Amino acid sequence: RAANFVRGNVVVAANGISQDRLNGALNKYSSVIPAGKASAPASSAFVGGEVKVRTDLDGSSRLGLAFAVPAGDAGKAYSVLNALVSSKLAAQQLCCSAYIQSFSKGGLMGVEAATTQHLEAYVAELKNIATKCPDIEIIKQKLTLEHFLTLEGACSTSVLLNAHLRGQGPQSAGDMRGVTAAEVGPAA
């Protein structure tokens, strides 16, 4: 515990407090936390897995499919890809939910669906995008705007912590304007 509970490992995320008040509180109470450098977490590779849980869903089933994605700026193309696939699936009115989860050393991109046909539709959209990536400008603008609006809203603490976990600054973590179609196509 002594090696990990040091100032270098402390993350402070705040919402609804002025910068001056926050700095004052941090300066006042940081002396209680021992000095020390941040410890690097041991890296672990995603190797996949399977979990089966029996539950009553009134006779329906849910199926899932996920892929590992890289961390940091390299993962931004996957965020754009996920939003692009989500919009294509929504246009087809399919009962499935595409998602992306980012972590400090990578993440997962995938889909949860009600039928194998919906999973196949997800895979088909990935293949279509891999073959010929459509215009992504509107998707990039939408994701970037949503990110910046979230930084100003009630959920900003979550966004700040997620950016820190991914090793990125709060502004750059959700800024997708630099992502190109040449990056999104191969991500698919």
Side-chain angles (χ1 to χ4, degrees), residues 42-51 64-71 78 99 101-111:
S43 63
S44 102
F46 174 75
V47 295
E50 179 180 343
V51 175
L65 179 65
F67 307 95
V69 299
Y78 292 86
Y99 63 87
Q101 293 293 322
S102 298
F103 307 104
S104 61
K105 300 292 182 188
L108 290 173
M109 180 182 125
V111 65

Side-chain angles (χ1 to χ4, degrees), residues 3-183:
N4 293 316
F5 189 68
V6 294
R7 282 185 221 147
N9 285 336
V10 173
V11 175
V12 176
N15 189 18
I17 184 172
S18 73
Q19 185 69 42
D20 292 336
R21 281 189 67 196
L22 180 61
N23 285 341
L26 290 174
N27 291 335
K28 183 176 179 181
Y29 296 109
S30 65
S31 63
V32 195
I33 302 168
K37 292 185 176 188
S39 57
S43 63
S44 102
F46 174 75
V47 295
E50 179 180 343
V51 175
K52 294 182 180 182
V53 179
R54 186 171 188 91
T55 186
D56 182 14
L57 297 172
D58 292 330
S60 66
S61 297
R62 301 299 290 174
L63 308 165
L65 179 65
F67 307 95
V69 299
D73 286 341
K76 288 182 178 183
Y78 292 86
S79 294
V80 172
L81 173 62
N82 183 66
L84 188 57
V85 171
S86 293
S87 69
K88 300 269 186 191
L89 296 175
Q92 297 174 41
Q93 299 180 342
L94 297 179
C95 182
C96 54
S97 175
Y99 63 87
I100 190 159
Q101 293 293 322
S102 298
F103 307 104
S104 61
K105 300 292 182 188
L108 290 173
M109 180 182 125
V111 65
E112 176 191 354
T115 68
T116 56
Q117 291 83 6
H118 294 162
L119 282 181
E120 289 168 355
Y122 175 82
V123 171
E125 286 301 333
L126 288 177
K127 288 180 180 180
N128 289 338
I129 294 167
T131 303
K132 183 181 184 304
C133 184
D135 185 20
I136 60 171
E137 289 306 311
I138 292 173
I139 296 284
K140 292 182 342 183
Q141 290 173 12
K142 177 184 178 288
L143 290 173
T144 301
L145 180 60
E146 285 174 352
H147 176 75
F148 287 130
L149 290 174
T150 304
L151 280 175
E152 297 295 325
C155 297
S156 62
T157 304
S158 175
V159 172
L160 292 169
L161 287 172
N162 286 332
H164 177 75
L165 287 174
R166 292 190 309 262
Q168 296 179 299
Q171 288 82 12
S172 66
D175 189 349
M176 303 296 164
R177 293 175 290 188
V179 177
T180 67
E183 296 169 304

